[in-house]
C-alpha cells in the first residue's frame, strides 16, 4: 500500500533557528516527490519537486533532499521566519497513479 | 488574478440539507479535483475531472456528486448532509499529459454540519 509518513507531527522553534522535517514513503513505482506549504486557512502551495535522479533542490531558504534508495526525504528550513509557521506536507506521486499525501508537520516559529 | 477560487469559504448547515461548493480556475488547466481534508489533516482525493469526464472516483458516498459545466469549473454537490461530512474541502487543478505538473489548490471551504 502506498503510504507517506512525516515526522515530527509538530515542531516549535525560535525565529532565526534552522529546522529539518522528515518524510518517509513506501510509494512504488516512484515518480516524484513534492513538498507543499499550507498556511492556516489556505490551500497547499508547492515548494519543491524532485525526481528520482535528484538528491537536493533549493527554493530560497528551503532545501529538500531525496534518498530514493532509503525512500526518505527531508526539508531543511534555514534562518526561520515567523511567516514560516505553517503545515508542511510531503507528497509522493507513483507512476500512473494519484498523488499520495502525507499528514503534514505543523511548524510554529516563535519570536 | 490567476488562481483557483472556491466559494463559499465557510459553510454551516444542518444535517439533512443539500449544499453546493463552487470552484473555478482561470489557469487554463485541463484537470480539476476535489480533496477532503479531515481532522487529522490528511488530504484525500474525492474526484477528478478531465475534459468533462470523470476519470477518478474514489470510494466516496454517492451523496457527493461533482458537476462540471465547462473545463474551468468543477462544483461539488452534497445531498443529505451528515455530521461526518464536516471537514475542509479543497478544489485543485493541474495540467496533464506529457511530463508531470503539480497542483494549484484553492483556499478551501470549511463545511460544518450541525
Amino acid at each position: 500500500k502506498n503510504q507517506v509518513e512525516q515526522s515530527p507531527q509538530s515542531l516549535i522553534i525560535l525565529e532565526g533557528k534552522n529546522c529539518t522535517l522528515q518524510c518517509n514513503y513506501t510509494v512504488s513505482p516512484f515518480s516524484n516527490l513534492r513538498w507543499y506549504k499550507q498556511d492556516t486557512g489556505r490551500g497547499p502551495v508547492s515548494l519543491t519537486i524532485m525526481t528520482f535522479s535528484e538528491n537536493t533542490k533549493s527554493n530560497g531558504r528551503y532545501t529538500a533532499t531525496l534518498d530514493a534508495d532509503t525512500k526518505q526525504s527531508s526539508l531543511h528550513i534555514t534562518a526561520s521566519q515567523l511567516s514560516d509557521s505553517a503545515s508542511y506536507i510531503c507528497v509522493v506521486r507513483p507512476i500512473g497513479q494519484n498523488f499520495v499525501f502525507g499528514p503534514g508537520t505543523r511548524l510554529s516559529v516563535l519570536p | 488574478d490567476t488562481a483557483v477560487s472556491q466559494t463559499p469559504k465557510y459553510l454551516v448547515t444542518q444535517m439533512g440539507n443539500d449544499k453546493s461548493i463552487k470552484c473555478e480556475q482561470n489557469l487554463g488547466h485541463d484537470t480539476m479535483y476535489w480533496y477532503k481534508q479531515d481532522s487529522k489533516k490528511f488530504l484525500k482525493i474525492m474526484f477528478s475531472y478531465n475534459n468533462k469526464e470523470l476519470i477518478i472516483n474514489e470510494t466516496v458516498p454517492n451523496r457527493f456528486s461533482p458537476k462540471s459545466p465547462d473545463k474551468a469549473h468543477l462544483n461539488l454537490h452534497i445531498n443529505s448532509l451528515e455530521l461526518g461530512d464536516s471537514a475542509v474541502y479543497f478544489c485543485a487543478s493541474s495540467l496533464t499529459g506529457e511530463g508531470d505538473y503539480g497542483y494549484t489548490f484553492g483556499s478551501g471551504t470549511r463545511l460544518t454540519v450541525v
Side-chain angles (χ1 to χ4, degrees):
Chain A
K1 182 180 178 182
N2 290 328
Q3 283 188 317
V4 176
E5 298 176 345
Q6 293 187 239
S7 62
Q9 186 176 24
S10 61
L11 182 63
I12 301 174
I13 62 174
L14 294 177
E15 186 178 13
K17 298 296 184 182
N18 304 334
C19 67
T20 300
L21 314 179
Q22 299 292 339
C23 173
N24 297 332
Y25 61 92
T26 58
V27 170
S28 180
F30 176 85
S31 175
N32 58 65
L33 182 147
R34 290 178 170 82
W35 282 94
Y36 279 84
K37 178 186 179 187
Q38 185 177 13
D39 292 311
T40 300
R42 306 295 298 273
V45 175
S46 180
L47 293 175
T48 64
I49 176 173
M50 302 178 71
T51 59
F52 185 86
S53 59
E54 296 175 298
N55 300 118
T56 303
K57 183 163 282 189
S58 293
N59 177 2
R61 295 179 296 101
Y62 301 102
T63 299
T65 65
L66 174 65
D67 186 333
D69 291 331
T70 61
K71 297 187 176 181
Q72 295 180 326
S73 175
S74 66
L75 180 69
H76 186 75
I77 304 175
T78 304
S80 61
Q81 301 176 358
L82 297 179
S83 61
D84 292 332
S85 295
S87 289
Y88 292 84
I89 304 173
C90 177
V91 183
V92 183
R93 181 160 199 181
I95 296 174
Q97 301 176 52
N98 264 320
F99 294 97
V100 183
F101 286 74
T105 292
R106 177 70 200 174
L107 174 66
S108 299
V109 181
L110 304 181
Chain B
D1 291 342
T2 56
V4 177
S5 58
Q6 298 179 227
T7 55
K9 189 171 178 63
Y10 300 97
L11 181 57
V12 181
T13 187
Q14 290 184 324
M15 284 177 55
N17 285 349
D18 302 336
K19 291 293 179 184
S20 296
I21 307 173
K22 295 184 178 181
C23 179
E24 176 183 5
Q25 58 92 8
N26 60 3
L27 300 165
H29 288 171
D30 59 3
T31 305
M32 296 183 71
Y33 312 82
W34 277 104
Y35 276 83
K36 179 181 180 180
Q37 188 170 41
D38 60 23
S39 58
K40 295 184 179 180
K41 303 301 181 184
F42 274 100
L43 276 158
K44 297 179 180 178
I45 190 168
M46 300 177 71
F47 304 103
S48 73
Y49 253 77
N50 183 309
N51 293 326
K52 293 192 176 184
E53 291 184 276
L54 179 67
I55 60 173
I56 301 173
N57 184 354
E58 296 295 316
T59 54
V60 299
N62 57 15
R63 298 181 294 104
F64 291 79
S65 58
K67 297 283 194 300
S68 181
D70 54 58
K71 201 166 69 169
H73 296 82
L74 183 64
N75 303 325
L76 182 65
H77 296 270
I78 315 170
N79 296 325
S80 302
L81 278 156
E82 300 177 357
L83 293 177
D85 297 332
S86 296
V88 181
Y89 292 84
F90 285 97
C91 177
S93 68
S94 73
L95 275 174
T96 56
E98 293 300 320
D100 191 12
Y101 300 90
Y103 292 166
T104 300
F105 282 87
S107 297
T109 296
R110 181 174 292 279
L111 171 65
T112 304
V113 183
V114 298

